[in-house]
Amino acid sequence: MNAATTPCPRPSDIPFRLWTPDERQASLDEALRDWREGEDVWVFGYGSLIWRPEFDFLERRKAMLRGHHRALCLWSRVNRGTPETPGLAFGLDRGGSCQGMVYRLHGQAVRERFTALWQREMSTGSYLPRWLRCATDDGPVRALVFVMNRASPAYIAALPDAEVVAIVRRASGKYGPCTDYVMQTAHALREAGIHDLRLQRLARLLEAETEPLPES
């Protein structure tokens, strides 16, 4: 069978492994390698960090990140799905731009806050922590940004809207239904005055779809 006719693997067949605490710690240490102890840091949020940051912050600003765009490009097998029926989570994929929020964290709390942040965002190592320039109305800031790791088995390229809606509606995980996650993100962006046309379109489709899904 040639490459053109080889079927794509089902999400449940794609390798899945949680990172060990040592792997998470090594990634965290690398991200903070050039950080000066006690220095305030900024963190960029583009999905659930906008409506559920789970950390105290000194300041929050609307921000623009260029070079990446918000997309449901990550299979979620824990938080919003299971290994057998994965959902989709937001990642920052290459190209375009993304409006979100940057949060300034107190320098004395960075290690504690980042340890919790790594447990939340880096459970499988599907993101690449990067320090990137974000534009705000009060000037640019250098913020920690979790961008999508395209080499990860959990990465999924753009899917048709109908397929995304079907996957989202079917999945549920540790934090609840995937539908709630997408709708809460869409609502939080609207409340913040952030316009994401594709997400708004997906939210309308999710609201309109009320028929039960088939089993397969």
Side-chain angles (χ1 to χ4, degrees), residues 72-156:
L72 287 165
C73 59
L74 172 65
W75 290 115
S76 177
R77 294 174 170 84
V78 177
N79 293 345
R80 297 294 175 172
T82 65
E84 297 74 26
T85 308
L88 291 170
F90 289 104
L92 286 171
D93 207 357
R94 294 179 197 159
S97 61
C98 178
Q99 268 197 310
M101 292 287 186
V102 285
Y103 303 87
R104 182 164 64 91
L105 276 60
H106 195 292
Q108 298 302 324
V110 167
R111 290 198 179 274
E112 177 186 353
R113 300 289 184 266
F114 270 38
T115 297
L117 190 59
W118 251 250
Q119 290 174 345
R120 170 176 168 169
E121 301 293 335
M122 296 294 289
S123 62
T124 62
S126 296
Y127 295 131
L128 299 172
R130 295 288 184 262
W131 295 95
L132 301 176
R133 183 181 184 275
C134 299
T136 80
D137 287 345
D138 295 316
V141 300
R142 181 174 176 266
L144 175 76
V145 181
F146 291 104
V147 303
M148 189 65 218
N149 178 7
R150 283 193 167 193
S152 167
Y155 172 70
I156 177 69

Side-chain angles (χ1 to χ4, degrees), residues 41-92:
V41 300
W42 293 87
V43 175
F44 180 77
Y46 57 89
S48 62
L49 283 177
I50 294 178
W51 49 270
R52 189 168 59 87
E54 293 185 330
F55 50 67
D56 296 328
F57 51 88
L58 299 174
E59 185 181 355
R60 178 174 63 181
R61 302 180 193 172
K62 191 185 297 185
M64 172 69 76
L65 173 70
R66 302 196 182 279
H68 296 82
H69 66 280
R70 182 173 27 246
L72 287 165
C73 59
L74 172 65
W75 290 115
S76 177
R77 294 174 170 84
V78 177
N79 293 345
R80 297 294 175 172
T82 65
E84 297 74 26
T85 308
L88 291 170
F90 289 104
L92 286 171

